[in-house]
Amino acid sequence: MVRQERAVRTRRLILEAAASVFDEYGYEGATIGEVVARAGVTRGAVYFHFASKRELAQGVVEEQFGRDEIPERQCKLQEFVDLGMVVAHLMPRDPVLSAGARLSLGQDVFGDFSGGAAPGWIQRAESVLETAGRRGELLPQVVPAETAWLVTGAWTGVQIQSQKMSGRADLERRISALYQHVMPSIAVPGVLATLDLAVDRGARVVAELAAARVAESGPTGPDGAGAAGVGPA
């Protein structure tokens, strides 16, 4: 059991290091040697978990889906918004999300990763929208699968433009504007009036999650502070 836990920690350490390397140098410029140096592990440890650079890059793309935690809401359309706003907040701060986007969206010269991250994001969004529909939150004409596809595509386009024009400095503002334009076309009026689409929505949700983790972990220090969770940078 101890060996298994150590292997899980080592794999996570390698993925974090690889993400920072891919994010900085792109796929072509990244080297296993640089990953080894940043992770502080042996080359053998990297190849134990990942047989090639391509497999390591695929691991970074897949790791994105451990970064999209959001609290469950009574209003599922708020969850839908929160998902996009949390990722918009974290992407400029989290190399795994940033590198995953760079690799899966072809932002450097590299081949396709079976559609990259998009299918996973679409599926996640569609699931939330389907629940929203069952709860009467969607306008009658809304088809969850189509809306999930279109909003994911729009989000992706906004992210690419933000990266190119401002280094993602305005990503949260741009994504907030996207939802302000989109949500009136899918939400029933009563629900639309309750939605929080503010620019700082993602930051506040991330802070909420961090506070919840501290509360769950209990006091860990002499001042009664809990263990640190993921929070806004």
Side-chain angles (χ1 to χ4, degrees):
M1 181 65 70
V2 172
R3 187 180 297 115
Q4 186 177 32
E5 291 175 354
R6 187 182 301 119
V8 170
R9 288 196 300 270
T10 300
R11 186 178 189 277
R12 185 178 301 115
L13 185 65
I14 292 168
L15 282 173
E16 295 276 357
S20 69
V21 174
F22 286 128
D23 195 35
E24 184 173 344
Y25 296 107
Y27 181 81
E28 296 297 338
T31 65
I32 295 296
E34 184 64 25
V35 174
V36 167
R38 294 197 188 188
V41 299
T42 65
R43 187 174 292 265
V46 173
Y47 282 115
F48 175 80
H49 291 280
F50 304 97
S52 65
K53 186 169 80 166
R54 182 182 178 86
E55 190 173 304
L56 183 55
Q58 181 68 51
V60 171
V61 171
E62 294 172 354
E63 186 71 7
Q64 292 179 89
F65 299 105
R67 310 294 174 122
D68 61 348
E69 180 184 1
I70 55 171
E72 185 173 352
R73 308 290 185 192
Q74 185 64 32
C75 176
K76 290 300 169 181
L77 282 184
Q78 186 65 65
E79 276 188 40
F80 178 71
V81 171
D82 287 354
L83 177 60
M85 292 303 300
V86 163
V87 176
H89 175 72
L90 291 178
M91 185 168 282
R93 299 164 170 83
D94 186 339
V96 170
L97 285 170
S98 183
R102 179 169 185 170
L103 291 167
S104 62
L105 296 175
Q107 289 174 229
D108 59 358
V109 182
F110 189 60
D112 178 64
F113 284 114
S114 302
W121 294 120
I122 292 170
Q123 184 178 31
R124 176 79 185 275
E126 182 179 348
S127 176
V128 176
L129 287 171
E130 286 176 344
T131 304
R134 289 193 294 271
R135 295 188 178 186
E137 298 177 14
L138 300 179
L139 293 170
Q141 74 273 15
V142 175
V143 179
E146 292 183 1
T147 301
W149 198 102
L150 289 170
V151 172
T152 301
W155 198 107
T156 300
V158 170
Q159 185 276 135
I160 292 173
Q161 286 300 105
S162 176
Q163 168 65 17
K164 288 182 176 180
M165 299 179 72
S166 73
R168 299 198 186 101
D170 65 350
L171 182 57
E172 290 175 269
R173 179 169 66 86
R174 299 297 184 183
I175 294 298
S176 173
L178 171 66
Y179 285 119
Q180 289 173 35
H181 281 76
V182 168
M183 298 313 291
S185 69
I186 68 174
V188 298
V191 170
L192 179 63
T194 71
L195 295 178
D196 184 346
L197 310 176
V199 173
D200 67 341
R201 176 65 183 179
R204 286 187 281 114
V205 173
V206 168
E208 177 187 348
L209 287 167
R213 292 191 191 102
V214 169
E216 289 174 2
S217 65
T220 60
D223 59 354
V230 175

